[in-house]
Amino acid sequence: MDAELLLAAVLDVPRARLLTLADVPDGAAARFDALLDQRADRVPLQHLTGRAPFRYLELAVGPGVFVPRPETEQLAGWAIGALAGVASPSVVDLGSGSGALALSIAHEVPGVSVVAVERDPAAIEWTRHNAAARAAAGDPAVVVLAGDMTDPELLRDLDGAVDLVVSNPPYVPDGARVPREVADHDPPLALWGGPDGLDVVRGLLATAARLLRPGGRLGIEHADAQGSALPALVRAHGAFADVEDHPDLAGRPRYTTARRRS
Ligand SMILES: C[S@@+](CC[C@H](N)C(=O)[O-])C[C@H]1O[C@@H](n2cnc3c(N)ncnc32)[C@H](O)[C@@H]1O
């Protein structure tokens, strides 16, 4: 599959078109060989093609930014569904990276205003690049803000006014073993979340509680081993009701949702 996608990228054709190809020109074959060597050396496929599909979008990715994962599409889908019927909703995406969540919500929710917050100076260049590309394609402009999701002063002007906070935060416990594609190519700030993986989440809960209006919704992705710990943390915070955990398509616990108490 990866080899086919790399050859399709080299030839700039859809993967299905490979079936009808009679020949691969020499120059393209040499580029394909070089990409295969890099992929065999565990460079992520998406860094080699420079693109990552996410729901209806194709995002630019490369060194310095977390490659969006298919399982996060479900958190995006939940957020988009949760905003149905909310007039001119206001959304904040904490830890936006490529902008996968923020830009999908902007693409799929009519009349939405989205702020994408990102702390990593390298990653935010990708957030800005993808946001500009989507705005040029006609989607609502997403505000990209350099900031720390655990900062008590973040977005003070939106206190109590946000309809939905969504986040795929760094949640890998320090020292956990991860594949080489992840360890060597995803930015450390996107991965590591302290001894139990939940350090950043603790800070983000305070921010979400402050930003959300009463009844506003919260959605947070987590590791499959955190399907009990994360809902427990959200319940223990005290500001949230209707705390639920949701599985991904493989049936593994993947994200927690809640509602801001009145
Ligand atoms: C797992 S990645 C998710 C990126 C994107 N939302 C997605 O779903 O593909 C986590 C992102 O949060 C950012 N981040 C980590 N700690 C942060 C903090 N304290 N404040 C803001 N962003 C942070 C990382 O730089 C990274 O881009």
Side-chain angles (χ1 to χ4, degrees), residues 116-158:
V117 177
E118 174 55 55
R119 177 181 171 187
D120 186 332
I124 201 169
E125 293 305 317
W126 294 95
T127 326
R128 290 194 178 112
H129 174 86
N130 283 321
R134 290 313 313 161
D139 283 352
V142 165
V143 174
V144 178
L145 178 70
D148 182 341
M149 69 172 97
T150 68
D151 178 356
E153 296 306 315
L154 181 76
L155 290 170
R156 269 280 173 205
D157 52 326
L158 292 184

Side-chain angles (χ1 to χ4, degrees), residues 54 65-69 72 93-101 117-120 123 147-150 167-171 187 189-191 200 221:
F54 191 86
V65 73
F66 181 84
V67 173
R69 307 296 206 266
T72 307
D93 172 23
L94 296 172
S96 203
S98 65
L101 287 164
V117 177
E118 174 55 55
R119 177 181 171 187
D120 186 332
D148 182 341
M149 69 172 97
T150 68
S167 183
N168 176 16
Y171 54 64
L189 201 62
L191 300 177
V200 180
E221 185 170 316

Side-chain angles (χ1 to χ4, degrees), residues 78 91-92 94 162-167 204 208 211-212 217-219:
W78 168 85
V91 172
V92 175
L94 296 172
V162 174
D163 295 292
L164 185 141
V165 170
V166 70
S167 183
L204 102 74
L211 293 177
L212 287 170
R217 310 294 297 275
L218 171 66

